[in-house]
Amino acid sequence: MKKFIIGLAVGLIVAFPLGINFGKDVPLLSNPFAAKPDIAAQVKERTGELLKDTKEAIHDATKPVKEKFSK
């Protein structure tokens, strides 16, 4: 039982910083308490990618109709 508790404590000490870094999308072995990345810039970047993908999907979905009316 003593080994289990020691292993649990060591596991928590190692896993906690790795989990923080994983959630922030930064390298796992970097400092988990460093300055936070700019959230607004990340949101703008992801939104831009999402809009681009959405525009392409709409274009692909409406392509047959455009071809039908252009004939």
Side-chain angles (χ1 to χ4, degrees), residues 11-45:
L12 287 173
I13 291 170
V14 171
F16 184 71
L18 292 176
I20 290 173
N21 287 338
F22 183 75
K24 291 181 179 179
D25 289 332
V26 295
L28 293 179
L29 297 177
S30 65
N31 183 1
F33 303 110
K36 295 181 182 177
D38 187 22
I39 301 295
Q42 288 180 350
V43 169
K44 287 180 183 178
E45 179 182 334

Side-chain angles (χ1 to χ4, degrees), residues 29-64:
L29 297 177
S30 65
N31 183 1
F33 303 110
K36 295 181 182 177
D38 187 22
I39 301 295
Q42 288 180 350
V43 169
K44 287 180 183 178
E45 179 182 334
R46 291 180 182 170
T47 304
E49 293 172 4
L50 181 65
L51 286 174
K52 182 180 175 185
D53 294 341
T54 304
K55 287 178 183 179
E56 290 176 6
I58 291 172
H59 178 70
D60 291 342
T62 58
K63 192 173 183 178

